[in-house]
Amino acid sequence: MALSISQEIVPVEHYLRQPQRLIYALIEPERVEQRSASLFRFKLSPLKFLMLKIEPTVDLKVWTGADGVLRLQSMATQLKGLETFDTGFDLKLIGNLAPYRRGQKTELRGQADLMVQVDLPPSLVFMSRTLVQATGNALLKSVLTTMRQRLERQLLQDYENWVKSQSLESMTGRSTHGLREVALSS
């Protein structure tokens, strides 16, 4: 995935040093709970997997390295409503978003790898392995497509809002850090 960004007053690299902004640009704010400066817990939309309704909660670590690359990594997962099935479910997400300068434009390039491992309950063990894999792959593709669409739509808008707030702050000499500029639409 690549997004092209026009040169702004405040470079996008400064924006990427604020990982919480990316989280709120990617995920509906009502689904996010900030656990620490770089750790966030979020509830995925309920997923239907075969005959099961799964409501995963994921702890996601988000940080910017010294190289300016923003990184995401899942740290823990939990299934709400199916706690007895919880030990047979594992979600791994690893991703990054890096800025690349090209003249007057910056290109953000990103990648996300998502893997879900599910140990089927005894009632589903006899189902076709091909059917289970096809359903699981469709589920993963849906999650990644949603993340990509929100990133393309919301990240650029949030960056523009952030640049405006930074410009306002420098003109007035007053800090706007206490204000939540993140205005997201689903």
Side-chain angles (χ1 to χ4, degrees):
M1 186 224 52
L3 293 172
S4 184
I5 298 177
S6 297
Q7 186 66 32
E8 291 283 351
I9 297 167
V10 184
V12 72
E13 290 85 352
H14 296 282
Y15 174 83
L16 293 177
R17 290 187 196 121
Q18 300 178 52
Q20 72 280 6
R21 296 218 52 121
L22 178 75
I23 289 294
Y24 289 112
L26 283 177
I27 304 165
E28 296 91 352
E30 62 273 4
R31 294 185 175 275
V32 179
E33 174 189 346
Q34 189 165 357
R35 310 286 290 190
S36 71
S38 63
L39 188 66
F40 300 85
R41 177 168 288 167
F42 72 95
K43 298 175 188 174
L44 290 168
S45 298
L47 308 168
K48 291 186 180 179
F49 182 75
L50 301 174
M51 297 180 293
L52 302 172
K53 182 179 176 185
I54 302 170
E55 296 183 41
T57 300
V58 178
D59 287 350
L60 189 64
K61 183 177 179 181
V62 183
W63 73 101
T64 304
D67 57 0
V69 176
L70 189 127
R71 292 182 169 80
L72 308 138
Q73 181 178 353
S74 59
M75 303 305 289
T77 58
Q78 185 179 33
L79 291 178
K80 298 289 183 179
L82 291 172
E83 284 77 8
T84 57
F85 188 58
D86 205 17
T87 58
F89 178 81
D90 189 30
L91 182 145
K92 298 267 188 235
L93 172 66
I94 297 173
N96 62 62
L97 189 62
Y100 294 91
R101 290 255 176 234
R102 299 182 75 177
Q104 292 296 335
K105 292 194 180 251
T106 300
E107 189 173 274
L108 290 178
R109 296 181 194 163
Q111 178 178 336
D113 296 316
L114 178 63
M115 182 191 81
V116 174
Q117 181 176 341
V118 179
D119 294 332
L120 295 176
S123 59
L124 299 177
V125 168
F126 298 107
M127 294 194 79
S128 161
R129 184 175 189 84
T130 306
L131 175 64
V132 171
Q133 286 179 333
T135 304
N137 287 338
L139 175 77
L140 293 178
K141 186 176 180 178
S142 170
V143 170
L144 288 174
T145 299
T146 300
M147 285 179 68
R148 181 182 179 150
Q149 289 171 346
R150 286 193 62 84
L151 184 68
E152 289 172 348
R153 224 179 31 235
Q154 299 300 130
L155 181 89
L156 295 177
Q157 182 62 52
D158 187 55
Y159 171 61
E160 289 173 10
N161 290 343
W162 180 77
V163 168
K164 288 175 189 170
S165 74
Q166 296 301 303
S167 299
L168 178 63
E169 184 178 316
S170 66
M171 287 189 313
T172 64
R174 290 188 290 162
S175 174
T176 56
H177 291 292
L179 299 176
R180 265 299 287 270
E181 271 288 327
V182 182
L184 303 177
S185 61
S186 298

